[in-house]
Structure formats: C-alpha cells, structure tokens
Amino acid sequence: MKNTTTTIKAQKGTENKISMITAYDYSMAKLVDSAGVNTILVGDSLGNVMLGYEDTVSVTMEDMIHHSAAVARGAKNALVVTDMPFMSYQTSVYDAVVNAGRLMKEGRAGAVKLEGGVEVCPQIKAITAAGIPVCAHLGLTPQSINTLGGYKIQGKTEEAAKKLLDDARAVEEAGAFALVLECVPKKLATLITESIGIPTIGIGAGNGCDGQVLVNQDMLGMFTDYVPKFVKQYANVGEIIKNAVADYINEINTGAFPDDARSYKIDDEVIEKLY
Ligand code: KIV
C-alpha cells in the first residue's frame, strides 16, 4: 500500500504504529521500502553518517536534494520525508517556501521536515499553504546544537516541558501533519501525543508516541562513532561487512577469487596464435 500524509495521519492513536527509518541512497531505500516501512526520512543526519561531519550544521540544500532524489527512486510505497537543512528556512518565510519547493521538485520528496516550534510557525504555515506537507521536529533539535550546548534530553523542567507542549500545539495549529519528538522523557512525550491531533514519531521519546524513527546506520550497527542510549541495534551489519571484505581480500591473495565460474572463456586456438 502506498503511504501518504493522509494514511500516516490516520495511523494516529491506532495499534498500527508509524514506522520511520532514515535512508540516504537508492539501494537502502529499496531495502527498507520492501521491508514495509511506512516512511523514509532523508535526514540531515546524513551529515554525520554519510559525510562524516561532527554535526548537521554544514549540510547543504545540494546535499539534501542529491540524497533525496536517490531515495525517491528506490521508495515505491514509503512516504519520503526530506529534512530542510540548517539555514534553508530559518532566514525567512520566503527562503523556506523556495527551499521546500526545491526539495519537492528536485529531490522528489513527498514532504519536508524542519526543526523548531513557535518561532518557525510562519514558515510551516507558508510551506503548507504552498501545497507542501510539513513534519515538525521538537525536543533535541540537532541543528541548534550550538545553542542547546550538547546532545541532551530536553523538557525536564516544568518550564521546558510546558514550552514543548505549547510548541507541539503551535506546530499542529500551523499545519504540520506529523511531529518528530527527539530525546524527550517518555511521560512528557506521551502527554504531548495525547494532547495533539497529529501523530508523534519518537526517537528517544518512549513508546507512548504514535510511531518511532531510528537512524538506519545506528540500528544496523554501521555507525559506531557514538551510539545514543535510545538506539537499539537490530543487526550488526557493520561486522558482517568487515568480515565479508576481509574474506574478499584473503581470496584475492590466495587466487580463490575469481574462480573459473566467474571468469570468461576464449578458444585456446585464438590464444595460442598470440604467443
Ligand atoms: O536527521 C535525522 O535523521 C533526524 C532524525 C534523528 C529524527 O532528524
């Protein structure tokens, strides 16, 4: 079944929870799509796991368009949600609409995601008014790492928790179709989920949300520079890759690869005439 913002919204409050996973290229998009994931996030986390930056601040519109288009080519049924990178929407409402439009037209996204609450509501309103669905993102918002002062759990004081709840209501009111909650205490994320009419998708926010998202490379054991507490590793693909490549190197050295079954033949008479 083809997933759309309408089907994702209809999953709110049901037992059919929303599954979201990041992907950044065609092959991985095809794999996660065929596993049946509802939505693929082309996250700006690609700055960390694909490009090796220490944060997402340096990620550009060109990076996002390049990876989003590759994912869109591999995603048959999953809704592709593409992150708006740092400074592509904070600068003005006009920039936000133009850049969201580029992610749809050139990156072939089905929706865009941006970070922030009340302060980005004018952008959410204008982008949705232009016919582009917006997923909001609250809690730990990695693009603001320089003001947050580190990758920490958010909303722990009464004031911070109240602000998160207000922001969640505001982004819904502005027109967001879904809300990612990152690094928020489970009870607060559950309360937010119960207090708004759009689905919440948690990452480090407990199982009271309407869905969950994880970074592909984290949950498959392919990125180990740092592993947040909330990550569950469902497979150690990193180890499988390392072992396979070590076998390959060994077989090159022994001559076991390529064997005759993987080589091409020529008539002996042709070869003999060349000696
Ligand atoms: O960029 C990303 O992968 C994200 C998820 C962590 C939600 O925003």
Side-chain angles (χ1 to χ4, degrees), residues 20 22 24 40-46 56 59-61 63-65 68 80-86 88-89 99 103 109 111-115 135-137 142-143 180:
M20 179 186 248
T22 68
Y24 315 98
I40 300 177
L41 174 65
V42 187
D44 61 355
S45 52
L46 69 83
T56 57
V59 175
T60 64
M61 276 296 296
D63 293 331
M64 295 312 301
I65 288 168
S68 180
V80 176
V81 179
T82 301
D83 262 342
M84 299 198 68
F86 184 55
S88 68
Y89 58 94
N99 286 320
L103 293 176
V112 299
K113 176 166 84 57
L114 53 77
E115 299 179 4
C135 177
H137 183 158
Q143 291 176 14
V180 166

PDB file of all heavy atoms in Angstrom, residues 20 22 24 40-46 56 59-61 63-65 68 80-86 88-89 99 103 109 111-115 135-137 142-143 180:
ATOM      1  N   MET A  20       9.229   4.645  10.858  1.00  0.00           N
ATOM      2  CA  MET A  20      10.038   5.550  10.032  1.00  0.00           C
ATOM      3  C   MET A  20      11.499   5.167  10.236  1.00  0.00           C
ATOM      4  O   MET A  20      11.914   4.829  11.347  1.00  0.00           O
ATOM      5  CB  MET A  20       9.800   7.007  10.465  1.00  0.00           C
ATOM      6  CG  MET A  20      10.602   8.046   9.707  1.00  0.00           C
ATOM      7  SD  MET A  20      10.382   9.717  10.425  1.00  0.00           S
ATOM      8  CE  MET A  20       9.500  10.552   9.148  1.00  0.00           C
ATOM      9  N   THR A  22      15.633   6.208   8.596  1.00  0.00           N
ATOM     10  CA  THR A  22      16.343   7.065   7.647  1.00  0.00           C
ATOM     11  C   THR A  22      16.958   6.207   6.540  1.00  0.00           C
ATOM     12  O   THR A  22      17.238   5.027   6.721  1.00  0.00           O
ATOM     13  CB  THR A  22      17.479   7.876   8.318  1.00  0.00           C
ATOM     14  OG1 THR A  22      18.510   6.982   8.732  1.00  0.00           O
ATOM     15  CG2 THR A  22      16.972   8.697   9.488  1.00  0.00           C
ATOM     16  N   TYR A  24      19.542   7.165   2.793  1.00  0.00           N
ATOM     17  CA  TYR A  24      20.190   8.279   2.085  1.00  0.00           C
ATOM     18  C   TYR A  24      20.556   7.912   0.646  1.00  0.00           C
ATOM     19  O   TYR A  24      21.150   8.702  -0.059  1.00  0.00           O
ATOM     20  CB  TYR A  24      21.454   8.713   2.844  1.00  0.00           C
ATOM     21  CG  TYR A  24      21.232   8.818   4.339  1.00  0.00           C
ATOM     22  CD1 TYR A  24      21.593   7.784   5.193  1.00  0.00           C
ATOM     23  CD2 TYR A  24      20.617   9.939   4.896  1.00  0.00           C
ATOM     24  CE1 TYR A  24      21.362   7.858   6.566  1.00  0.00           C
ATOM     25  CE2 TYR A  24      20.378  10.024   6.258  1.00  0.00           C
ATOM     26  CZ  TYR A  24      20.752   8.983   7.087  1.00  0.00           C
ATOM     27  OH  TYR A  24      20.519   9.061   8.437  1.00  0.00           O
ATOM     28  N   ILE A  40      10.179   6.919   4.926  1.00  0.00           N
ATOM     29  CA  ILE A  40      11.642   7.008   4.926  1.00  0.00           C
ATOM     30  C   ILE A  40      12.010   8.464   5.146  1.00  0.00           C
ATOM     31  O   ILE A  40      11.522   9.348   4.437  1.00  0.00           O
ATOM     32  CB  ILE A  40      12.244   6.527   3.584  1.00  0.00           C
ATOM     33  CG1 ILE A  40      11.863   5.061   3.315  1.00  0.00           C
ATOM     34  CG2 ILE A  40      13.760   6.695   3.590  1.00  0.00           C
ATOM     35  CD1 ILE A  40      12.350   4.536   1.969  1.00  0.00           C
ATOM     36  N   LEU A  41      12.858   8.689   6.140  1.00  0.00           N
ATOM     37  CA  LEU A  41      13.340  10.047   6.391  1.00  0.00           C
ATOM     38  C   LEU A  41      14.718  10.218   5.765  1.00  0.00           C
ATOM     39  O   LEU A  41      15.654   9.486   6.100  1.00  0.00           O
ATOM     40  CB  LEU A  41      13.431  10.294   7.910  1.00  0.00           C
ATOM     41  CG  LEU A  41      14.054  11.632   8.317  1.00  0.00           C
ATOM     42  CD1 LEU A  41      13.187  12.807   7.867  1.00  0.00           C
ATOM     43  CD2 LEU A  41      14.258  11.693   9.831  1.00  0.00           C
ATOM     44  N   VAL A  42      14.818  11.159   4.822  1.00  0.00           N
ATOM     45  CA  VAL A  42      16.143  11.540   4.327  1.00  0.00           C
ATOM     46  C   VAL A  42      16.595  12.624   5.301  1.00  0.00           C
ATOM     47  O   VAL A  42      16.330  13.816   5.111  1.00  0.00           O
ATOM     48  CB  VAL A  42      16.089  12.053   2.872  1.00  0.00           C
ATOM     49  CG1 VAL A  42      17.508  12.274   2.344  1.00  0.00           C
ATOM     50  CG2 VAL A  42      15.330  11.083   1.989  1.00  0.00           C
ATOM     51  N   GLY A  43      17.189  12.177   6.395  1.00  0.00           N
ATOM     52  CA  GLY A  43      17.531  13.086   7.483  1.00  0.00           C
ATOM     53  C   GLY A  43      18.811  13.853   7.183  1.00  0.00           C
ATOM     54  O   GLY A  43      19.683  13.364   6.452  1.00  0.00           O
ATOM     55  N   ASP A  44      18.908  15.042   7.791  1.00  0.00           N
ATOM     56  CA  ASP A  44      20.190  15.744   7.640  1.00  0.00           C
ATOM     57  C   ASP A  44      21.260  15.074   8.501  1.00  0.00           C
ATOM     58  O   ASP A  44      22.432  15.468   8.466  1.00  0.00           O
ATOM     59  CB  ASP A  44      20.065  17.250   7.916  1.00  0.00           C
ATOM     60  CG  ASP A  44      19.599  17.574   9.315  1.00  0.00           C
ATOM     61  OD1 ASP A  44      19.276  16.638  10.074  1.00  0.00           O
ATOM     62  OD2 ASP A  44      19.556  18.775   9.669  1.00  0.00           O
ATOM     63  N   SER A  45      20.865  14.010   9.241  1.00  0.00           N
ATOM     64  CA  SER A  45      21.847  13.152   9.906  1.00  0.00           C
ATOM     65  C   SER A  45      22.794  12.550   8.872  1.00  0.00           C
ATOM     66  O   SER A  45      23.825  11.977   9.229  1.00  0.00           O
ATOM     67  CB  SER A  45      21.143  12.032  10.680  1.00  0.00           C
ATOM     68  OG  SER A  45      20.232  11.348   9.842  1.00  0.00           O
ATOM     69  N   LEU A  46      22.472  12.685   7.587  1.00  0.00           N
ATOM     70  CA  LEU A  46      23.400  12.233   6.549  1.00  0.00           C
ATOM     71  C   LEU A  46      24.727  12.971   6.680  1.00  0.00           C
ATOM     72  O   LEU A  46      25.777  12.457   6.281  1.00  0.00           O
ATOM     73  CB  LEU A  46      22.791  12.387   5.151  1.00  0.00           C
ATOM     74  CG  LEU A  46      22.546  13.772   4.542  1.00  0.00           C
ATOM     75  CD1 LEU A  46      23.790  14.347   3.886  1.00  0.00           C
ATOM     76  CD2 LEU A  46      21.426  13.677   3.516  1.00  0.00           C
ATOM     77  N   THR A  56      25.176  18.522  12.123  1.00  0.00           N
ATOM     78  CA  THR A  56      24.401  18.661  10.883  1.00  0.00           C
ATOM     79  C   THR A  56      24.452  20.083  10.313  1.00  0.00           C
ATOM     80  O   THR A  56      23.843  20.355   9.271  1.00  0.00           O
ATOM     81  CB  THR A  56      22.919  18.277  11.133  1.00  0.00           C
ATOM     82  OG1 THR A  56      22.394  19.099  12.177  1.00  0.00           O
ATOM     83  CG2 THR A  56      22.780  16.824  11.522  1.00  0.00           C
ATOM     84  N   VAL A  59      25.462  20.748   6.535  1.00  0.00           N
ATOM     85  CA  VAL A  59      24.706  20.104   5.445  1.00  0.00           C
ATOM     86  C   VAL A  59      24.029  21.176   4.569  1.00  0.00           C
ATOM     87  O   VAL A  59      23.465  22.148   5.080  1.00  0.00           O
ATOM     88  CB  VAL A  59      23.654  19.132   6.032  1.00  0.00           C
ATOM     89  CG1 VAL A  59      22.783  18.540   4.930  1.00  0.00           C
ATOM     90  CG2 VAL A  59      24.344  18.026   6.825  1.00  0.00           C
ATOM     91  N   THR A  60      24.098  20.979   3.253  1.00  0.00           N
ATOM     92  CA  THR A  60      23.582  21.989   2.311  1.00  0.00           C
ATOM     93  C   THR A  60      22.301  21.507   1.622  1.00  0.00           C
ATOM     94  O   THR A  60      21.957  20.315   1.658  1.00  0.00           O
ATOM     95  CB  THR A  60      24.619  22.266   1.201  1.00  0.00           C
ATOM     96  OG1 THR A  60      24.786  21.054   0.439  1.00  0.00           O
ATOM     97  CG2 THR A  60      25.959  22.687   1.766  1.00  0.00           C
ATOM     98  N   MET A  61      21.634  22.423   0.953  1.00  0.00           N
ATOM     99  CA  MET A  61      20.469  22.082   0.137  1.00  0.00           C
ATOM    100  C   MET A  61      20.881  21.083  -0.957  1.00  0.00           C
ATOM    101  O   MET A  61      20.141  20.148  -1.252  1.00  0.00           O
ATOM    102  CB  MET A  61      19.900  23.342  -0.522  1.00  0.00           C
ATOM    103  CG  MET A  61      18.953  24.137   0.343  1.00  0.00           C
ATOM    104  SD  MET A  61      17.447  23.216   0.748  1.00  0.00           S
ATOM    105  CE  MET A  61      16.712  23.018  -0.872  1.00  0.00           C
ATOM    106  N   ASP A  63      23.271  18.861  -0.860  1.00  0.00           N
ATOM    107  CA  ASP A  63      23.409  17.517  -0.252  1.00  0.00           C
ATOM    108  C   ASP A  63      22.032  16.864  -0.137  1.00  0.00           C
ATOM    109  O   ASP A  63      21.836  15.703  -0.493  1.00  0.00           O
ATOM    110  CB  ASP A  63      23.986  17.604   1.179  1.00  0.00           C
ATOM    111  CG  ASP A  63      25.429  18.089   1.234  1.00  0.00           C
ATOM    112  OD1 ASP A  63      26.173  17.845   0.266  1.00  0.00           O
ATOM    113  OD2 ASP A  63      25.813  18.700   2.266  1.00  0.00           O
ATOM    114  N   MET A  64      21.060  17.625   0.396  1.00  0.00           N
ATOM    115  CA  MET A  64      19.737  17.057   0.666  1.00  0.00           C
ATOM    116  C   MET A  64      19.027  16.673  -0.635  1.00  0.00           C
ATOM    117  O   MET A  64      18.392  15.615  -0.712  1.00  0.00           O
ATOM    118  CB  MET A  64      18.871  18.044   1.466  1.00  0.00           C
ATOM    119  CG  MET A  64      19.366  18.352   2.874  1.00  0.00           C
ATOM    120  SD  MET A  64      19.824  16.926   3.894  1.00  0.00           S
ATOM    121  CE  MET A  64      18.312  15.994   3.931  1.00  0.00           C
ATOM    122  N   ILE A  65      19.151  17.511  -1.653  1.00  0.00           N
ATOM    123  CA  ILE A  65      18.487  17.225  -2.932  1.00  0.00           C
ATOM    124  C   ILE A  65      19.081  15.966  -3.565  1.00  0.00           C
ATOM    125  O   ILE A  65      18.366  15.068  -4.028  1.00  0.00           O
ATOM    126  CB  ILE A  65      18.613  18.440  -3.885  1.00  0.00           C
ATOM    127  CG1 ILE A  65      17.707  19.579  -3.388  1.00  0.00           C
ATOM    128  CG2 ILE A  65      18.283  18.057  -5.318  1.00  0.00           C
ATOM    129  CD1 ILE A  65      17.946  20.914  -4.066  1.00  0.00           C
ATOM    130  N   SER A  68      18.000  12.922  -1.470  1.00  0.00           N
ATOM    131  CA  SER A  68      16.552  12.743  -1.507  1.00  0.00           C
ATOM    132  C   SER A  68      16.119  12.146  -2.854  1.00  0.00           C
ATOM    133  O   SER A  68      15.288  11.220  -2.898  1.00  0.00           O
ATOM    134  CB  SER A  68      15.873  14.102  -1.276  1.00  0.00           C
ATOM    135  OG  SER A  68      14.483  13.971  -1.296  1.00  0.00           O
ATOM    136  N   VAL A  80       8.365   9.552   1.392  1.00  0.00           N
ATOM    137  CA  VAL A  80       9.710  10.116   1.575  1.00  0.00           C
ATOM    138  C   VAL A  80       9.596  11.509   2.195  1.00  0.00           C
ATOM    139  O   VAL A  80       8.982  12.409   1.623  1.00  0.00           O
ATOM    140  CB  VAL A  80      10.480  10.180   0.236  1.00  0.00           C
ATOM    141  CG1 VAL A  80      11.843  10.854   0.421  1.00  0.00           C
ATOM    142  CG2 VAL A  80      10.647   8.787  -0.353  1.00  0.00           C
ATOM    143  N   VAL A  81      10.172  11.645   3.388  1.00  0.00           N
ATOM    144  CA  VAL A  81      10.179  12.935   4.093  1.00  0.00           C
ATOM    145  C   VAL A  81      11.630  13.418   4.106  1.00  0.00           C
ATOM    146  O   VAL A  81      12.524  12.689   4.554  1.00  0.00           O
ATOM    147  CB  VAL A  81       9.672  12.785   5.547  1.00  0.00           C
ATOM    148  CG1 VAL A  81       9.701  14.122   6.273  1.00  0.00           C
ATOM    149  CG2 VAL A  81       8.270  12.191   5.576  1.00  0.00           C
ATOM    150  N   THR A  82      11.862  14.619   3.597  1.00  0.00           N
ATOM    151  CA  THR A  82      13.245  15.108   3.488  1.00  0.00           C
ATOM    152  C   THR A  82      13.471  16.311   4.396  1.00  0.00           C
ATOM    153  O   THR A  82      12.664  17.245   4.429  1.00  0.00           O
ATOM    154  CB  THR A  82      13.556  15.458   2.012  1.00  0.00           C
ATOM    155  OG1 THR A  82      13.373  14.281   1.225  1.00  0.00           O
ATOM    156  CG2 THR A  82      14.987  15.960   1.852  1.00  0.00           C
ATOM    157  N   ASP A  83      14.588  16.263   5.124  1.00  0.00           N
ATOM    158  CA  ASP A  83      14.920  17.354   6.042  1.00  0.00           C
ATOM    159  C   ASP A  83      15.301  18.632   5.310  1.00  0.00           C
ATOM    160  O   ASP A  83      16.051  18.598   4.323  1.00  0.00           O
ATOM    161  CB  ASP A  83      16.125  16.953   6.905  1.00  0.00           C
ATOM    162  CG  ASP A  83      15.706  16.429   8.271  1.00  0.00           C
ATOM    163  OD1 ASP A  83      14.561  16.680   8.699  1.00  0.00           O
ATOM    164  OD2 ASP A  83      16.539  15.768   8.914  1.00  0.00           O
ATOM    165  N   MET A  84      14.820  19.759   5.821  1.00  0.00           N
ATOM    166  CA  MET A  84      15.304  21.060   5.361  1.00  0.00           C
ATOM    167  C   MET A  84      16.566  21.349   6.166  1.00  0.00           C
ATOM    168  O   MET A  84      16.535  21.338   7.400  1.00  0.00           O
ATOM    169  CB  MET A  84      14.244  22.131   5.619  1.00  0.00           C
ATOM    170  CG  MET A  84      12.946  21.845   4.869  1.00  0.00           C
ATOM    171  SD  MET A  84      11.894  23.295   4.733  1.00  0.00           S
ATOM    172  CE  MET A  84      12.850  24.324   3.623  1.00  0.00           C
ATOM    173  N   PRO A  85      17.704  21.581   5.491  1.00  0.00           N
ATOM    174  CA  PRO A  85      18.953  21.758   6.239  1.00  0.00           C
ATOM    175  C   PRO A  85      19.037  23.111   6.937  1.00  0.00           C
ATOM    176  O   PRO A  85      18.264  24.032   6.643  1.00  0.00           O
ATOM    177  CB  PRO A  85      20.025  21.621   5.156  1.00  0.00           C
ATOM    178  CG  PRO A  85      19.365  22.036   3.904  1.00  0.00           C
ATOM    179  CD  PRO A  85      17.907  21.642   4.029  1.00  0.00           C
ATOM    180  N   PHE A  86      19.984  23.200   7.849  1.00  0.00           N
ATOM    181  CA  PHE A  86      20.240  24.413   8.634  1.00  0.00           C
ATOM    182  C   PHE A  86      20.373  25.635   7.711  1.00  0.00           C
ATOM    183  O   PHE A  86      21.086  25.599   6.721  1.00  0.00           O
ATOM    184  CB  PHE A  86      21.532  24.210   9.436  1.00  0.00           C
ATOM    185  CG  PHE A  86      21.880  25.326  10.369  1.00  0.00           C
ATOM    186  CD1 PHE A  86      20.981  25.779  11.328  1.00  0.00           C
ATOM    187  CD2 PHE A  86      23.130  25.921  10.315  1.00  0.00           C
ATOM    188  CE1 PHE A  86      21.309  26.800  12.208  1.00  0.00           C
ATOM    189  CE2 PHE A  86      23.485  26.943  11.191  1.00  0.00           C
ATOM    190  CZ  PHE A  86      22.559  27.383  12.132  1.00  0.00           C
ATOM    191  N   SER A  88      18.171  26.873   5.721  1.00  0.00           N
ATOM    192  CA  SER A  88      17.381  26.868   4.481  1.00  0.00           C
ATOM    193  C   SER A  88      15.966  27.372   4.755  1.00  0.00           C
ATOM    194  O   SER A  88      15.181  27.564   3.823  1.00  0.00           O
ATOM    195  CB  SER A  88      17.325  25.461   3.874  1.00  0.00           C
ATOM    196  OG  SER A  88      16.578  24.589   4.699  1.00  0.00           O
ATOM    197  N   TYR A  89      15.603  27.563   6.047  1.00  0.00           N
ATOM    198  CA  TYR A  89      14.238  28.039   6.377  1.00  0.00           C
ATOM    199  C   TYR A  89      14.236  29.029   7.528  1.00  0.00           C
ATOM    200  O   TYR A  89      13.283  29.793   7.690  1.00  0.00           O
ATOM    201  CB  TYR A  89      13.316  26.854   6.720  1.00  0.00           C
ATOM    202  CG  TYR A  89      13.805  26.001   7.876  1.00  0.00           C
ATOM    203  CD1 TYR A  89      13.375  26.215   9.180  1.00  0.00           C
ATOM    204  CD2 TYR A  89      14.731  24.985   7.654  1.00  0.00           C
ATOM    205  CE1 TYR A  89      13.837  25.431  10.233  1.00  0.00           C
ATOM    206  CE2 TYR A  89      15.197  24.205   8.708  1.00  0.00           C
ATOM    207  CZ  TYR A  89      14.750  24.429   9.989  1.00  0.00           C
ATOM    208  OH  TYR A  89      15.227  23.664  11.028  1.00  0.00           O
ATOM    209  N   ASN A  99      12.966  26.849  -0.713  1.00  0.00           N
ATOM    210  CA  ASN A  99      13.797  25.660  -0.483  1.00  0.00           C
ATOM    211  C   ASN A  99      12.957  24.393  -0.297  1.00  0.00           C
ATOM    212  O   ASN A  99      13.348  23.316  -0.758  1.00  0.00           O
ATOM    213  CB  ASN A  99      14.732  25.893   0.708  1.00  0.00           C
ATOM    214  CG  ASN A  99      15.869  26.832   0.327  1.00  0.00           C
ATOM    215  OD1 ASN A  99      16.408  26.738  -0.777  1.00  0.00           O
ATOM    216  ND2 ASN A  99      16.227  27.749   1.208  1.00  0.00           N
ATOM    217  N   LEU A 103      13.148  20.904  -2.609  1.00  0.00           N
ATOM    218  CA  LEU A 103      13.233  19.521  -2.103  1.00  0.00           C
ATOM    219  C   LEU A 103      12.147  18.646  -2.739  1.00  0.00           C
ATOM    220  O   LEU A 103      12.350  17.460  -2.971  1.00  0.00           O
ATOM    221  CB  LEU A 103      13.118  19.488  -0.575  1.00  0.00           C
ATOM    222  CG  LEU A 103      14.296  20.122   0.177  1.00  0.00           C
ATOM    223  CD1 LEU A 103      14.047  20.125   1.679  1.00  0.00           C
ATOM    224  CD2 LEU A 103      15.613  19.386  -0.127  1.00  0.00           C
ATOM    225  N   ALA A 109      10.828  14.716  -2.919  1.00  0.00           N
ATOM    226  CA  ALA A 109      10.297  14.365  -1.598  1.00  0.00           C
ATOM    227  C   ALA A 109       8.777  14.349  -1.648  1.00  0.00           C
ATOM    228  O   ALA A 109       8.158  14.971  -2.524  1.00  0.00           O
ATOM    229  CB  ALA A 109      10.785  15.387  -0.570  1.00  0.00           C
ATOM    230  N   ALA A 111       7.254  15.064   1.372  1.00  0.00           N
ATOM    231  CA  ALA A 111       7.016  16.015   2.466  1.00  0.00           C
ATOM    232  C   ALA A 111       8.385  16.501   2.942  1.00  0.00           C
ATOM    233  O   ALA A 111       9.404  15.879   2.648  1.00  0.00           O
ATOM    234  CB  ALA A 111       6.283  15.331   3.622  1.00  0.00           C
ATOM    235  N   VAL A 112       8.389  17.610   3.679  1.00  0.00           N
ATOM    236  CA  VAL A 112       9.656  18.109   4.234  1.00  0.00           C
ATOM    237  C   VAL A 112       9.554  18.121   5.763  1.00  0.00           C
ATOM    238  O   VAL A 112       8.461  18.118   6.317  1.00  0.00           O
ATOM    239  CB  VAL A 112      10.008  19.525   3.721  1.00  0.00           C
ATOM    240  CG1 VAL A 112      10.162  19.526   2.203  1.00  0.00           C
ATOM    241  CG2 VAL A 112       8.960  20.559   4.153  1.00  0.00           C
ATOM    242  N   LYS A 113      10.714  18.106   6.401  1.00  0.00           N
ATOM    243  CA  LYS A 113      10.749  18.208   7.862  1.00  0.00           C
ATOM    244  C   LYS A 113      11.637  19.381   8.251  1.00  0.00           C
ATOM    245  O   LYS A 113      12.677  19.600   7.620  1.00  0.00           O
ATOM    246  CB  LYS A 113      11.281  16.911   8.486  1.00  0.00           C
ATOM    247  CG  LYS A 113      11.425  16.990  10.021  1.00  0.00           C
ATOM    248  CD  LYS A 113      11.630  15.631  10.669  1.00  0.00           C
ATOM    249  CE  LYS A 113      13.037  15.131  10.678  1.00  0.00           C
ATOM    250  NZ  LYS A 113      14.018  16.010  11.335  1.00  0.00           N
ATOM    251  N   LEU A 114      11.197  20.126   9.267  1.00  0.00           N
ATOM    252  CA  LEU A 114      12.040  21.214   9.784  1.00  0.00           C
ATOM    253  C   LEU A 114      11.967  21.235  11.305  1.00  0.00           C
ATOM    254  O   LEU A 114      11.043  20.693  11.910  1.00  0.00           O
ATOM    255  CB  LEU A 114      11.645  22.558   9.158  1.00  0.00           C
ATOM    256  CG  LEU A 114      10.196  23.018   9.204  1.00  0.00           C
ATOM    257  CD1 LEU A 114       9.811  23.549  10.557  1.00  0.00           C
ATOM    258  CD2 LEU A 114       9.993  24.116   8.153  1.00  0.00           C
ATOM    259  N   GLU A 115      12.993  21.824  11.898  1.00  0.00           N
ATOM    260  CA  GLU A 115      13.131  21.818  13.355  1.00  0.00           C
ATOM    261  C   GLU A 115      12.642  23.128  13.960  1.00  0.00           C
ATOM    262  O   GLU A 115      12.888  24.199  13.408  1.00  0.00           O
ATOM    263  CB  GLU A 115      14.614  21.609  13.735  1.00  0.00           C
ATOM    264  CG  GLU A 115      15.168  20.278  13.239  1.00  0.00           C
ATOM    265  CD  GLU A 115      16.635  20.080  13.601  1.00  0.00           C
ATOM    266  OE1 GLU A 115      17.227  20.939  14.306  1.00  0.00           O
ATOM    267  OE2 GLU A 115      17.200  19.058  13.165  1.00  0.00           O
ATOM    268  N   CYS A 135       6.486  18.055   8.243  1.00  0.00           N
ATOM    269  CA  CYS A 135       6.629  17.324   9.504  1.00  0.00           C
ATOM    270  C   CYS A 135       7.474  18.222  10.409  1.00  0.00           C
ATOM    271  O   CYS A 135       8.533  18.693   9.997  1.00  0.00           O
ATOM    272  CB  CYS A 135       7.334  15.993   9.226  1.00  0.00           C
ATOM    273  SG  CYS A 135       7.657  15.020  10.707  1.00  0.00           S
ATOM    274  N   ALA A 136       6.992  18.467  11.627  1.00  0.00           N
ATOM    275  CA  ALA A 136       7.757  19.306  12.557  1.00  0.00           C
ATOM    276  C   ALA A 136       8.687  18.426  13.391  1.00  0.00           C
ATOM    277  O   ALA A 136       8.585  17.193  13.365  1.00  0.00           O
ATOM    278  CB  ALA A 136       6.787  20.070  13.444  1.00  0.00           C
ATOM    279  N   HIS A 137       9.610  19.056  14.100  1.00  0.00           N
ATOM    280  CA  HIS A 137      10.613  18.316  14.902  1.00  0.00           C
ATOM    281  C   HIS A 137      10.923  19.134  16.146  1.00  0.00           C
ATOM    282  O   HIS A 137      11.406  20.258  16.034  1.00  0.00           O
ATOM    283  CB  HIS A 137      11.863  18.102  14.022  1.00  0.00           C
ATOM    284  CG  HIS A 137      12.962  17.313  14.656  1.00  0.00           C
ATOM    285  ND1 HIS A 137      13.927  16.649  13.908  1.00  0.00           N
ATOM    286  CD2 HIS A 137      13.310  17.085  15.948  1.00  0.00           C
ATOM    287  CE1 HIS A 137      14.784  16.049  14.708  1.00  0.00           C
ATOM    288  NE2 HIS A 137      14.436  16.307  15.962  1.00  0.00           N
ATOM    289  N   PRO A 142      18.942  18.898  16.510  1.00  0.00           N
ATOM    290  CA  PRO A 142      20.398  18.920  16.313  1.00  0.00           C
ATOM    291  C   PRO A 142      20.938  20.159  15.581  1.00  0.00           C
ATOM    292  O   PRO A 142      22.095  20.535  15.783  1.00  0.00           O
ATOM    293  CB  PRO A 142      20.674  17.645  15.527  1.00  0.00           C
ATOM    294  CG  PRO A 142      19.545  16.741  15.877  1.00  0.00           C
ATOM    295  CD  PRO A 142      18.353  17.643  16.050  1.00  0.00           C
ATOM    296  N   GLN A 143      20.102  20.804  14.744  1.00  0.00           N
ATOM    297  CA  GLN A 143      20.612  21.996  14.049  1.00  0.00           C
ATOM    298  C   GLN A 143      20.917  23.126  15.039  1.00  0.00           C
ATOM    299  O   GLN A 143      21.656  24.050  14.724  1.00  0.00           O
ATOM    300  CB  GLN A 143      19.608  22.476  12.992  1.00  0.00           C
ATOM    301  CG  GLN A 143      19.482  21.507  11.824  1.00  0.00           C
ATOM    302  CD  GLN A 143      18.426  21.928  10.810  1.00  0.00           C
ATOM    303  OE1 GLN A 143      17.945  23.056  10.810  1.00  0.00           O
ATOM    304  NE2 GLN A 143      18.073  21.013   9.928  1.00  0.00           N
ATOM    305  N   VAL A 180       7.974  14.966  14.928  1.00  0.00           N
ATOM    306  CA  VAL A 180       9.049  14.130  15.487  1.00  0.00           C
ATOM    307  C   VAL A 180       9.424  14.691  16.851  1.00  0.00           C
ATOM    308  O   VAL A 180       9.615  15.907  17.001  1.00  0.00           O
ATOM    309  CB  VAL A 180      10.278  14.105  14.537  1.00  0.00           C
ATOM    310  CG1 VAL A 180      11.508  13.539  15.243  1.00  0.00           C
ATOM    311  CG2 VAL A 180       9.967  13.278  13.293  1.00  0.00           C
TER     312      VAL A 180
END
